[in-house]
PDB file of all heavy atoms in Angstrom:
ATOM      1  N   TYR A 134      -1.813 -13.789   6.994  1.00  0.00           N
ATOM      2  CA  TYR A 134      -1.003 -14.464   8.014  1.00  0.00           C
ATOM      3  C   TYR A 134      -1.792 -15.572   8.706  1.00  0.00           C
ATOM      4  O   TYR A 134      -1.274 -16.689   8.890  1.00  0.00           O
ATOM      5  CB  TYR A 134      -0.539 -13.443   9.042  1.00  0.00           C
ATOM      6  CG  TYR A 134       0.236 -14.067  10.189  1.00  0.00           C
ATOM      7  CD1 TYR A 134       1.552 -14.524  10.004  1.00  0.00           C
ATOM      8  CD2 TYR A 134      -0.336 -14.207  11.451  1.00  0.00           C
ATOM      9  CE1 TYR A 134       2.263 -15.106  11.036  1.00  0.00           C
ATOM     10  CE2 TYR A 134       0.381 -14.789  12.498  1.00  0.00           C
ATOM     11  CZ  TYR A 134       1.666 -15.236  12.287  1.00  0.00           C
ATOM     12  OH  TYR A 134       2.363 -15.818  13.332  1.00  0.00           O
ATOM     13  N   THR A 135      -3.053 -15.280   9.085  1.00  0.00           N
ATOM     14  CA  THR A 135      -3.859 -16.305   9.758  1.00  0.00           C
ATOM     15  C   THR A 135      -4.153 -17.477   8.818  1.00  0.00           C
ATOM     16  O   THR A 135      -4.262 -18.616   9.267  1.00  0.00           O
ATOM     17  CB  THR A 135      -5.181 -15.704  10.266  1.00  0.00           C
ATOM     18  OG1 THR A 135      -5.869 -15.055   9.180  1.00  0.00           O
ATOM     19  CG2 THR A 135      -4.931 -14.690  11.366  1.00  0.00           C
ATOM     20  N   ALA A 136      -4.241 -17.188   7.520  1.00  0.00           N
ATOM     21  CA  ALA A 136      -4.506 -18.262   6.544  1.00  0.00           C
ATOM     22  C   ALA A 136      -3.348 -19.255   6.491  1.00  0.00           C
ATOM     23  O   ALA A 136      -3.552 -20.464   6.478  1.00  0.00           O
ATOM     24  CB  ALA A 136      -4.740 -17.673   5.150  1.00  0.00           C
ATOM     25  N   ILE A 137      -2.108 -18.745   6.499  1.00  0.00           N
ATOM     26  CA  ILE A 137      -0.959 -19.669   6.439  1.00  0.00           C
ATOM     27  C   ILE A 137      -0.767 -20.404   7.756  1.00  0.00           C
ATOM     28  O   ILE A 137      -0.260 -21.523   7.775  1.00  0.00           O
ATOM     29  CB  ILE A 137       0.332 -18.906   6.020  1.00  0.00           C
ATOM     30  CG1 ILE A 137       1.366 -19.897   5.484  1.00  0.00           C
ATOM     31  CG2 ILE A 137       0.918 -18.117   7.197  1.00  0.00           C
ATOM     32  CD1 ILE A 137       0.958 -20.642   4.249  1.00  0.00           C
ATOM     33  N   ARG A 138      -1.209 -19.779   8.844  1.00  0.00           N
ATOM     34  CA  ARG A 138      -1.155 -20.451  10.132  1.00  0.00           C
ATOM     35  C   ARG A 138      -2.097 -21.660  10.151  1.00  0.00           C
ATOM     36  O   ARG A 138      -1.884 -22.618  10.892  1.00  0.00           O
ATOM     37  CB  ARG A 138      -1.524 -19.490  11.253  1.00  0.00           C
ATOM     38  CG  ARG A 138      -0.542 -18.335  11.461  1.00  0.00           C
ATOM     39  CD  ARG A 138       0.746 -18.783  12.100  1.00  0.00           C
ATOM     40  NE  ARG A 138       0.544 -19.257  13.467  1.00  0.00           N
ATOM     41  CZ  ARG A 138       1.515 -19.772  14.217  1.00  0.00           C
ATOM     42  NH1 ARG A 138       2.743 -19.890  13.722  1.00  0.00           N
ATOM     43  NH2 ARG A 138       1.279 -20.165  15.445  1.00  0.00           N
ATOM     44  N   LYS A 139      -3.133 -21.576   9.314  1.00  0.00           N
ATOM     45  CA  LYS A 139      -4.091 -22.682   9.191  1.00  0.00           C
ATOM     46  C   LYS A 139      -3.752 -23.577   7.995  1.00  0.00           C
ATOM     47  O   LYS A 139      -4.559 -24.407   7.604  1.00  0.00           O
ATOM     48  CB  LYS A 139      -5.517 -22.128   9.050  1.00  0.00           C
ATOM     49  CG  LYS A 139      -5.996 -21.350  10.269  1.00  0.00           C
ATOM     50  CD  LYS A 139      -7.363 -20.751  10.034  1.00  0.00           C
ATOM     51  CE  LYS A 139      -7.833 -19.949  11.228  1.00  0.00           C
ATOM     52  NZ  LYS A 139      -9.158 -19.319  11.003  1.00  0.00           N
ATOM     53  N   PHE A 140      -2.585 -23.337   7.397  1.00  0.00           N
ATOM     54  CA  PHE A 140      -2.085 -24.102   6.259  1.00  0.00           C
ATOM     55  C   PHE A 140      -2.966 -23.976   5.008  1.00  0.00           C
ATOM     56  O   PHE A 140      -3.014 -24.887   4.178  1.00  0.00           O
ATOM     57  CB  PHE A 140      -1.918 -25.578   6.639  1.00  0.00           C
ATOM     58  CG  PHE A 140      -1.018 -25.812   7.813  1.00  0.00           C
ATOM     59  CD1 PHE A 140      -1.565 -26.060   9.068  1.00  0.00           C
ATOM     60  CD2 PHE A 140       0.358 -25.715   7.688  1.00  0.00           C
ATOM     61  CE1 PHE A 140      -0.731 -26.244  10.166  1.00  0.00           C
ATOM     62  CE2 PHE A 140       1.196 -25.892   8.777  1.00  0.00           C
ATOM     63  CZ  PHE A 140       0.639 -26.155  10.033  1.00  0.00           C
ATOM     64  N   ASN A 141      -3.654 -22.850   4.917  1.00  0.00           N
ATOM     65  CA  ASN A 141      -4.460 -22.565   3.723  1.00  0.00           C
ATOM     66  C   ASN A 141      -3.596 -21.733   2.775  1.00  0.00           C
ATOM     67  O   ASN A 141      -3.635 -20.503   2.793  1.00  0.00           O
ATOM     68  CB  ASN A 141      -5.747 -21.835   4.109  1.00  0.00           C
ATOM     69  CG  ASN A 141      -6.723 -21.746   2.953  1.00  0.00           C
ATOM     70  OD1 ASN A 141      -6.316 -21.739   1.771  1.00  0.00           O
ATOM     71  ND2 ASN A 141      -7.998 -21.659   3.249  1.00  0.00           N
ATOM     72  N   ILE A 142      -2.824 -22.422   1.953  1.00  0.00           N
ATOM     73  CA  ILE A 142      -1.821 -21.757   1.109  1.00  0.00           C
ATOM     74  C   ILE A 142      -2.465 -20.851   0.063  1.00  0.00           C
ATOM     75  O   ILE A 142      -1.997 -19.726  -0.165  1.00  0.00           O
ATOM     76  CB  ILE A 142      -0.919 -22.801   0.436  1.00  0.00           C
ATOM     77  CG1 ILE A 142      -0.121 -23.576   1.505  1.00  0.00           C
ATOM     78  CG2 ILE A 142       0.043 -22.126  -0.551  1.00  0.00           C
ATOM     79  CD1 ILE A 142       0.716 -24.700   0.961  1.00  0.00           C
ATOM     80  N   GLU A 143      -3.515 -21.327  -0.595  1.00  0.00           N
ATOM     81  CA  GLU A 143      -4.155 -20.520  -1.644  1.00  0.00           C
ATOM     82  C   GLU A 143      -4.741 -19.237  -1.090  1.00  0.00           C
ATOM     83  O   GLU A 143      -4.581 -18.166  -1.701  1.00  0.00           O
ATOM     84  CB  GLU A 143      -5.234 -21.343  -2.347  1.00  0.00           C
ATOM     85  CG  GLU A 143      -4.718 -22.427  -3.272  1.00  0.00           C
ATOM     86  CD  GLU A 143      -3.736 -21.864  -4.311  1.00  0.00           C
ATOM     87  OE1 GLU A 143      -4.083 -20.849  -4.958  1.00  0.00           O
ATOM     88  OE2 GLU A 143      -2.647 -22.423  -4.464  1.00  0.00           O
ATOM     89  N   LYS A 144      -5.406 -19.322   0.027  1.00  0.00           N
ATOM     90  CA  LYS A 144      -5.975 -18.129   0.657  1.00  0.00           C
ATOM     91  C   LYS A 144      -4.869 -17.193   1.107  1.00  0.00           C
ATOM     92  O   LYS A 144      -4.992 -15.954   0.978  1.00  0.00           O
ATOM     93  CB  LYS A 144      -6.852 -18.536   1.847  1.00  0.00           C
ATOM     94  CG  LYS A 144      -7.722 -17.417   2.376  1.00  0.00           C
ATOM     95  CD  LYS A 144      -8.665 -17.944   3.445  1.00  0.00           C
ATOM     96  CE  LYS A 144      -9.581 -16.828   3.957  1.00  0.00           C
ATOM     97  NZ  LYS A 144     -10.511 -17.330   5.004  1.00  0.00           N
ATOM     98  N   HIS A 145      -3.792 -17.775   1.610  1.00  0.00           N
ATOM     99  CA  HIS A 145      -2.628 -16.988   2.046  1.00  0.00           C
ATOM    100  C   HIS A 145      -2.052 -16.193   0.869  1.00  0.00           C
ATOM    101  O   HIS A 145      -1.796 -14.992   0.984  1.00  0.00           O
ATOM    102  CB  HIS A 145      -1.563 -17.931   2.609  1.00  0.00           C
ATOM    103  CG  HIS A 145      -0.224 -17.283   2.799  1.00  0.00           C
ATOM    104  ND1 HIS A 145       0.017 -16.340   3.781  1.00  0.00           N
ATOM    105  CD2 HIS A 145       0.955 -17.436   2.137  1.00  0.00           C
ATOM    106  CE1 HIS A 145       1.275 -15.946   3.716  1.00  0.00           C
ATOM    107  NE2 HIS A 145       1.862 -16.587   2.720  1.00  0.00           N
ATOM    108  N   LYS A 146      -1.890 -16.857  -0.255  1.00  0.00           N
ATOM    109  CA  LYS A 146      -1.345 -16.204  -1.450  1.00  0.00           C
ATOM    110  C   LYS A 146      -2.220 -15.039  -1.883  1.00  0.00           C
ATOM    111  O   LYS A 146      -1.736 -13.941  -2.179  1.00  0.00           O
ATOM    112  CB  LYS A 146      -1.212 -17.205  -2.608  1.00  0.00           C
ATOM    113  CG  LYS A 146      -0.068 -18.181  -2.451  1.00  0.00           C
ATOM    114  CD  LYS A 146      -0.042 -19.111  -3.653  1.00  0.00           C
ATOM    115  CE  LYS A 146       1.101 -20.121  -3.563  1.00  0.00           C
ATOM    116  NZ  LYS A 146       1.109 -21.051  -4.719  1.00  0.00           N
ATOM    117  N   LYS A 147      -3.537 -15.286  -1.917  1.00  0.00           N
ATOM    118  CA  LYS A 147      -4.463 -14.247  -2.376  1.00  0.00           C
ATOM    119  C   LYS A 147      -4.388 -13.000  -1.498  1.00  0.00           C
ATOM    120  O   LYS A 147      -4.250 -11.880  -1.999  1.00  0.00           O
ATOM    121  CB  LYS A 147      -5.901 -14.795  -2.348  1.00  0.00           C
ATOM    122  CG  LYS A 147      -6.301 -15.569  -3.579  1.00  0.00           C
ATOM    123  CD  LYS A 147      -7.794 -15.818  -3.585  1.00  0.00           C
ATOM    124  CE  LYS A 147      -8.247 -16.481  -4.878  1.00  0.00           C
ATOM    125  NZ  LYS A 147      -9.714 -16.626  -4.955  1.00  0.00           N
ATOM    126  N   PHE A 148      -4.478 -13.216  -0.193  1.00  0.00           N
ATOM    127  CA  PHE A 148      -4.505 -12.053   0.709  1.00  0.00           C
ATOM    128  C   PHE A 148      -3.182 -11.320   0.751  1.00  0.00           C
ATOM    129  O   PHE A 148      -3.143 -10.092   0.917  1.00  0.00           O
ATOM    130  CB  PHE A 148      -4.950 -12.469   2.110  1.00  0.00           C
ATOM    131  CG  PHE A 148      -6.431 -12.612   2.250  1.00  0.00           C
ATOM    132  CD1 PHE A 148      -7.016 -13.827   2.543  1.00  0.00           C
ATOM    133  CD2 PHE A 148      -7.262 -11.503   2.040  1.00  0.00           C
ATOM    134  CE1 PHE A 148      -8.391 -13.951   2.652  1.00  0.00           C
ATOM    135  CE2 PHE A 148      -8.641 -11.624   2.150  1.00  0.00           C
ATOM    136  CZ  PHE A 148      -9.214 -12.851   2.467  1.00  0.00           C
ATOM    137  N   MET A 149      -2.083 -12.043   0.584  1.00  0.00           N
ATOM    138  CA  MET A 149      -0.786 -11.366   0.587  1.00  0.00           C
ATOM    139  C   MET A 149      -0.569 -10.583  -0.713  1.00  0.00           C
ATOM    140  O   MET A 149       0.127  -9.560  -0.704  1.00  0.00           O
ATOM    141  CB  MET A 149       0.349 -12.369   0.807  1.00  0.00           C
ATOM    142  CG  MET A 149       0.324 -13.032   2.194  1.00  0.00           C
ATOM    143  SD  MET A 149       0.026 -11.894   3.576  1.00  0.00           S
ATOM    144  CE  MET A 149       1.562 -10.999   3.648  1.00  0.00           C
ATOM    145  N   ILE A 150      -1.181 -11.038  -1.782  1.00  0.00           N
ATOM    146  CA  ILE A 150      -1.121 -10.261  -3.036  1.00  0.00           C
ATOM    147  C   ILE A 150      -1.901  -8.961  -2.840  1.00  0.00           C
ATOM    148  O   ILE A 150      -1.458  -7.885  -3.232  1.00  0.00           O
ATOM    149  CB  ILE A 150      -1.678 -11.077  -4.219  1.00  0.00           C
ATOM    150  CG1 ILE A 150      -0.701 -12.185  -4.599  1.00  0.00           C
ATOM    151  CG2 ILE A 150      -1.946 -10.174  -5.419  1.00  0.00           C
ATOM    152  CD1 ILE A 150      -1.207 -13.151  -5.646  1.00  0.00           C
ATOM    153  N   TYR A 151      -3.079  -9.073  -2.215  1.00  0.00           N
ATOM    154  CA  TYR A 151      -3.849  -7.875  -1.899  1.00  0.00           C
ATOM    155  C   TYR A 151      -3.060  -6.944  -0.987  1.00  0.00           C
ATOM    156  O   TYR A 151      -3.040  -5.725  -1.178  1.00  0.00           O
ATOM    157  CB  TYR A 151      -5.163  -8.247  -1.205  1.00  0.00           C
ATOM    158  CG  TYR A 151      -6.240  -8.746  -2.127  1.00  0.00           C
ATOM    159  CD1 TYR A 151      -6.799 -10.013  -1.970  1.00  0.00           C
ATOM    160  CD2 TYR A 151      -6.732  -7.941  -3.141  1.00  0.00           C
ATOM    161  CE1 TYR A 151      -7.795 -10.475  -2.802  1.00  0.00           C
ATOM    162  CE2 TYR A 151      -7.736  -8.390  -3.999  1.00  0.00           C
ATOM    163  CZ  TYR A 151      -8.259  -9.654  -3.815  1.00  0.00           C
ATOM    164  OH  TYR A 151      -9.252 -10.112  -4.658  1.00  0.00           O
ATOM    165  N   SER A 152      -2.425  -7.513   0.010  1.00  0.00           N
ATOM    166  CA  SER A 152      -1.644  -6.731   0.957  1.00  0.00           C
ATOM    167  C   SER A 152      -0.533  -5.953   0.270  1.00  0.00           C
ATOM    168  O   SER A 152      -0.374  -4.734   0.483  1.00  0.00           O
ATOM    169  CB  SER A 152      -1.038  -7.647   2.028  1.00  0.00           C
ATOM    170  OG  SER A 152      -0.110  -6.943   2.840  1.00  0.00           O
ATOM    171  N   TYR A 153       0.213  -6.638  -0.580  1.00  0.00           N
ATOM    172  CA  TYR A 153       1.316  -5.947  -1.235  1.00  0.00           C
ATOM    173  C   TYR A 153       0.824  -4.974  -2.295  1.00  0.00           C
ATOM    174  O   TYR A 153       1.514  -4.001  -2.616  1.00  0.00           O
ATOM    175  CB  TYR A 153       2.307  -6.943  -1.860  1.00  0.00           C
ATOM    176  CG  TYR A 153       3.656  -6.299  -2.117  1.00  0.00           C
ATOM    177  CD1 TYR A 153       4.526  -6.010  -1.064  1.00  0.00           C
ATOM    178  CD2 TYR A 153       4.042  -5.942  -3.396  1.00  0.00           C
ATOM    179  CE1 TYR A 153       5.739  -5.397  -1.288  1.00  0.00           C
ATOM    180  CE2 TYR A 153       5.264  -5.334  -3.633  1.00  0.00           C
ATOM    181  CZ  TYR A 153       6.098  -5.068  -2.576  1.00  0.00           C
ATOM    182  OH  TYR A 153       7.319  -4.443  -2.794  1.00  0.00           O
ATOM    183  N   ALA A 154      -0.362  -5.220  -2.833  1.00  0.00           N
ATOM    184  CA  ALA A 154      -0.952  -4.281  -3.784  1.00  0.00           C
ATOM    185  C   ALA A 154      -1.173  -2.923  -3.105  1.00  0.00           C
ATOM    186  O   ALA A 154      -0.927  -1.865  -3.705  1.00  0.00           O
ATOM    187  CB  ALA A 154      -2.273  -4.828  -4.314  1.00  0.00           C
ATOM    188  N   VAL A 155      -1.624  -2.964  -1.853  1.00  0.00           N
ATOM    189  CA  VAL A 155      -1.799  -1.733  -1.091  1.00  0.00           C
ATOM    190  C   VAL A 155      -0.447  -1.152  -0.705  1.00  0.00           C
ATOM    191  O   VAL A 155      -0.223   0.053  -0.774  1.00  0.00           O
ATOM    192  CB  VAL A 155      -2.663  -1.961   0.166  1.00  0.00           C
ATOM    193  CG1 VAL A 155      -2.848  -0.649   0.929  1.00  0.00           C
ATOM    194  CG2 VAL A 155      -4.026  -2.545  -0.207  1.00  0.00           C
ATOM    195  N   CYS A 156       0.462  -1.998  -0.313  1.00  0.00           N
ATOM    196  CA  CYS A 156       1.820  -1.560   0.023  1.00  0.00           C
ATOM    197  C   CYS A 156       2.465  -0.851  -1.159  1.00  0.00           C
ATOM    198  O   CYS A 156       3.161   0.162  -1.003  1.00  0.00           O
ATOM    199  CB  CYS A 156       2.660  -2.772   0.440  1.00  0.00           C
ATOM    200  SG  CYS A 156       4.325  -2.377   1.059  1.00  0.00           S
ATOM    201  N   PHE A 157       2.194  -1.354  -2.356  1.00  0.00           N
ATOM    202  CA  PHE A 157       2.766  -0.800  -3.596  1.00  0.00           C
ATOM    203  C   PHE A 157       2.213   0.583  -3.903  1.00  0.00           C
ATOM    204  O   PHE A 157       2.695   1.262  -4.807  1.00  0.00           O
ATOM    205  CB  PHE A 157       2.529  -1.759  -4.757  1.00  0.00           C
ATOM    206  CG  PHE A 157       3.432  -1.535  -5.934  1.00  0.00           C
ATOM    207  CD1 PHE A 157       4.773  -1.905  -5.886  1.00  0.00           C
ATOM    208  CD2 PHE A 157       2.938  -0.961  -7.104  1.00  0.00           C
ATOM    209  CE1 PHE A 157       5.614  -1.701  -6.985  1.00  0.00           C
ATOM    210  CE2 PHE A 157       3.777  -0.759  -8.210  1.00  0.00           C
ATOM    211  CZ  PHE A 157       5.113  -1.118  -8.132  1.00  0.00           C
ATOM    212  N   SER A 158       1.197   1.006  -3.156  1.00  0.00           N
ATOM    213  CA  SER A 158       0.648   2.351  -3.357  1.00  0.00           C
ATOM    214  C   SER A 158       1.686   3.424  -3.081  1.00  0.00           C
ATOM    215  O   SER A 158       1.563   4.557  -3.558  1.00  0.00           O
ATOM    216  CB  SER A 158      -0.586   2.569  -2.465  1.00  0.00           C
ATOM    217  OG  SER A 158      -0.220   2.597  -1.090  1.00  0.00           O
ATOM    218  N   ALA A 159       2.698   3.080  -2.298  1.00  0.00           N
ATOM    219  CA  ALA A 159       3.815   4.022  -2.069  1.00  0.00           C
ATOM    220  C   ALA A 159       4.503   4.349  -3.393  1.00  0.00           C
ATOM    221  O   ALA A 159       5.000   5.471  -3.573  1.00  0.00           O
ATOM    222  CB  ALA A 159       4.811   3.425  -1.090  1.00  0.00           C
ATOM    223  N   VAL A 160       4.501   3.382  -4.296  1.00  0.00           N
ATOM    224  CA  VAL A 160       5.099   3.594  -5.629  1.00  0.00           C
ATOM    225  C   VAL A 160       4.118   4.353  -6.534  1.00  0.00           C
ATOM    226  O   VAL A 160       4.480   5.362  -7.147  1.00  0.00           O
ATOM    227  CB  VAL A 160       5.476   2.244  -6.276  1.00  0.00           C
ATOM    228  CG1 VAL A 160       5.990   2.466  -7.713  1.00  0.00           C
ATOM    229  CG2 VAL A 160       6.532   1.542  -5.446  1.00  0.00           C
ATOM    230  N   THR A 161       2.885   3.850  -6.606  1.00  0.00           N
ATOM    231  CA  THR A 161       1.911   4.449  -7.524  1.00  0.00           C
ATOM    232  C   THR A 161       1.563   5.891  -7.120  1.00  0.00           C
ATOM    233  O   THR A 161       1.279   6.727  -7.973  1.00  0.00           O
ATOM    234  CB  THR A 161       0.643   3.586  -7.610  1.00  0.00           C
ATOM    235  OG1 THR A 161       0.217   3.238  -6.281  1.00  0.00           O
ATOM    236  CG2 THR A 161       0.911   2.319  -8.389  1.00  0.00           C
TER     237      THR A 161
END
Side-chain angles (χ1 to χ4, degrees):
Y134 176 73
T135 54
I137 200 62
R138 294 287 294 176
K139 296 176 181 178
F140 304 101
N141 190 332
I142 296 175
E143 286 305 311
K144 192 174 182 180
H145 167 71
K146 286 181 180 179
K147 276 191 174 185
F148 279 117
M149 294 315 289
I150 288 173
Y151 282 121
S152 171
Y153 199 74
V155 181
C156 186
F157 199 73
S158 67
V160 175
T161 48

